[in-house]
Amino acid sequence: MHDKTLNGLADALATRQVSSVELTRHFLDRIKRFDPQLNSFITVTEAQALEQAAAADTARAAGKAGRLTGVPIAHKDIFCTTGVKTSCGSKMLDNFIAPYNATVVEKMNSAGLVMLGKTNMDEFAMGSSNESSFYGPVKNPWNTAYVPGGSSGGSAAAVAARLAPAATGTDTGGSIRQPASLSGITGLKPTYGRVSRWGMIAFASSLDQAGPMAQTAEDAALLLNVMAGFDERDSTSTNIEVPDYTATLNNSLEGLRIGLPKEFFGAGLDAGVEKCVQDAIREYEKLGAKIVEISLPNTHLSIPAYYVIAPAEASSNLSRFDGVRFGYRCKSPDNLEDLYKRSRGEGFGDEVKRRILIGTYALSAGYYDAYYLKAQKVRRLIKNDFDAAFAKVDVIMGPTAPHAGFKLGEKAANPVSMYLSDIYTISVNMAGLPGLSLPAGRADGLPVGLQIIGNYFDEARLLNVAHRYQQVTDWHTQLPAAFA
Ligand code: GLN
């Protein structure tokens, strides 16, 4: 059963080949058997999952099932879940049980999906390798000496090893697409504002966005149908109609204009990755697409500007973790000052502290104009580059990440080399655009992702473009041998 896509499992449930309880047990058994090698889950909600599954079977028997009723899913541990620990990968929230569900979780529950558990992640979603989690690193199912990417590395590894048919993720600078690329799955970061962020623990509020991580574009479309939409509780969510993302999956790509930014193919791109991307582009030409060379001249500024904006916003968002209102509190503080200092000092890990320091500095009196404001101006230049490109092309393609996977520990001691993992993804968040990564080959035996970037609210086209490629290739169907 686990070799089926989400769509395939929905069919199996609809035709009564399997019940939701059987399916849920199957995935829970796989988690028990294989997750000790991967560490992709922080919490497994076995009892609750079996209850939800039984309710799904009852709903189906009563003729009240939707397309995804009874299908299991895993949620990144950044989404608040009633009664279940929501840690955000941090010691700070190791004891936090949210009193409410995030909108994304609520929507999934209403659609009848069954939550298997909460997936591991970089602490507060800061990282590109899943090594900053308080709960230990996640391993890449294709080679457990390698990282799965981050920060949604638990979701990526769980889906790649088929411990869950699909999962949710969040992407502030690449955290859905980069782990999707390194783990060999399909991940979509929707347009900023497309999916509600209510109940999703904030990292950098002007950049954060939730999206689906799945085996195929078709599965991502099914999930986006559930996740997307206006939410009055999130003031950044947009009130634009949600199309049926599955309706246009098979549209022809004849005449599709694909922009290739020359800045995405320069120094720093691994030759094996480049070859996979070029091969994928040839496939698209066969499908009728036209290639247009474009330029995104400010790409090189995206990482420096991001590492001012994201830490600045993070330092503000994370100020709520003070040892008083909720979360970790140090033992026997001497006074209030000591309580704040030690709770934060003991509760946060190194990467989070580094970001808080950078962000607090950038926002301090006298520096705001020089750093934050300047970075916001660079951000506008990046958006302008994309606007100019989308006047000429329908989608933009390139690598998702400059390399296939890297080894655990390889970049952990060098934050800047880690930050460079997101060189092709961060500008998309800076502009608020949607982006998708799909499996497009292997380099040194490890998965490589092709990135497709679309115009605002053009998720349907991204999914269509990805789906057509998946109709003529089979990278997305491959499962690492050790987890078959
Ligand atoms: N790797 C980037 C960072 O550490 C992006 C993380 C993300 O998208 N959440 O900030």
Side-chain angles (χ1 to χ4, degrees), residues 125-128 151 171-175 203 306-307 355 422:
M126 298 174 188
S128 304
S151 66
D171 191 313
T172 303
S175 280
F203 163 12
Y306 173 91
Y307 278 98
R355 307 272 180 121
D422 297 312

Side-chain angles (χ1 to χ4, degrees), residues 76 78 121-129 132 150-152 170-179 189 203-204 207-209 306-307 310-311 351 355 418-422 425-426 429:
K76 184 176 182 179
I78 197 168
M121 55 180 284
D122 277 305
E123 185 177 9
F124 285 102
M126 298 174 188
S128 304
S129 67
S132 77
S151 66
S152 312
T170 63
D171 191 313
T172 303
S175 280
I176 288 176
R177 291 160 288 157
Q178 188 260 11
K189 179 205 102 68
F203 163 12
L207 299 158
D208 299 341
Q209 182 60 200
Y306 173 91
Y307 278 98
E351 185 60 28
R355 307 272 180 121
M418 185 74 84
Y419 297 169
L420 286 169
S421 299
D422 297 312
T425 49
I426 276 183
N429 301 73

Side-chain angles (χ1 to χ4, degrees), residues 226-353:
V226 175
M227 296 172 84
F230 177 65
D231 180 2
E232 62 185 13
R233 291 176 300 188
D234 173 0
S235 60
T236 63
S237 105
T238 321
N239 202 348
I240 292 182
E241 203 192 325
V242 180
D244 174 358
Y245 292 105
T246 61
T248 43
L249 286 173
N250 286 307
N251 283 2
S252 162
L253 301 188
E254 197 58 53
L256 179 85
R257 297 166 303 166
I258 298 177
L260 301 184
K262 60 174 193 274
E263 294 78 6
F264 282 28
F265 294 89
L269 177 60
D270 174 85
V273 172
E274 176 160 16
K275 172 155 193 329
C276 294
V277 172
Q278 296 295 0
D279 288 350
I281 289 162
R282 297 291 87 79
E283 272 317 320
Y284 276 107
E285 286 183 306
K286 284 192 226 155
L287 291 167
K290 306 253 167 317
I291 304 304
V292 183
E293 194 186 295
I294 58 165
S295 174
L296 299 170
N298 292 295
T299 300
H300 67 290
L301 297 178
S302 64
I303 289 194
Y306 173 91
Y307 278 98
V308 172
I309 293 171
E313 295 180 8
S315 72
S316 163
N317 276 324
L318 271 55
S319 65
R320 73 189 59 159
F321 303 109
D322 56 5
V324 176
R325 285 168 282 193
F326 52 91
Y328 177 80
R329 176 181 294 179
C330 68
K331 296 274 169 304
S332 29
D334 294 337
N335 51 43
L336 187 63
E337 175 95 4
D338 187 47
L339 168 84
Y340 287 149
K341 276 193 186 156
R342 280 206 289 123
S343 298
R344 287 170 69 78
E346 294 164 17
F348 289 133
D350 288 350
E351 185 60 28
V352 173
K353 286 181 192 160

Side-chain angles (χ1 to χ4, degrees), residues 4-6 9 27 31 40-41 68 71-79 104-105 108 113-121 151-171 175-177 179-180 183 185-190 195 209-216 219-224 226-227:
K4 286 196 192 306
T5 61
L6 197 74
L9 293 175
F27 281 102
I31 294 170
S40 68
F41 280 84
L68 297 180
V71 181
I73 188 157
H75 291 305
K76 184 176 182 179
D77 207 18
I78 197 168
F79 293 100
V104 162
V105 173
M108 294 281 189
L113 285 123
V114 172
M115 180 174 90
L116 295 168
K118 310 284 298 285
T119 56
N120 203 345
M121 55 180 284
S151 66
S152 312
S155 288
V159 175
R162 309 294 191 256
L163 306 190
T168 50
T170 63
D171 191 313
S175 280
I176 288 176
R177 291 160 288 157
S183 301
I185 65 164
T186 306
L188 170 67
K189 179 205 102 68
V195 173
Q209 182 60 200
M213 303 181 73
Q215 295 163 49
T216 64
D219 287 0
L222 284 165
L223 290 170
L224 191 61
V226 175
M227 296 172 84

Side-chain angles (χ1 to χ4, degrees), residues 399-461:
T400 304
H403 42 62
F406 49 91
K407 285 208 171 93
L408 284 148
E410 191 179 318
K411 296 184 195 285
N414 183 347
V416 173
S417 88
M418 185 74 84
Y419 297 169
L420 286 169
S421 299
D422 297 312
I423 178 88
Y424 307 126
T425 49
I426 276 183
S427 54
V428 176
N429 301 73
M430 297 287 264
L433 292 164
L436 181 151
S437 179
L438 78 171
R442 302 245 192 289
D444 299 327
L446 292 162
V448 171
L450 170 75
Q451 184 175 210
I452 314 174
I453 303 166
N455 212 337
Y456 296 101
F457 297 97
D458 215 3
E459 286 82 4
R461 195 200 300 261

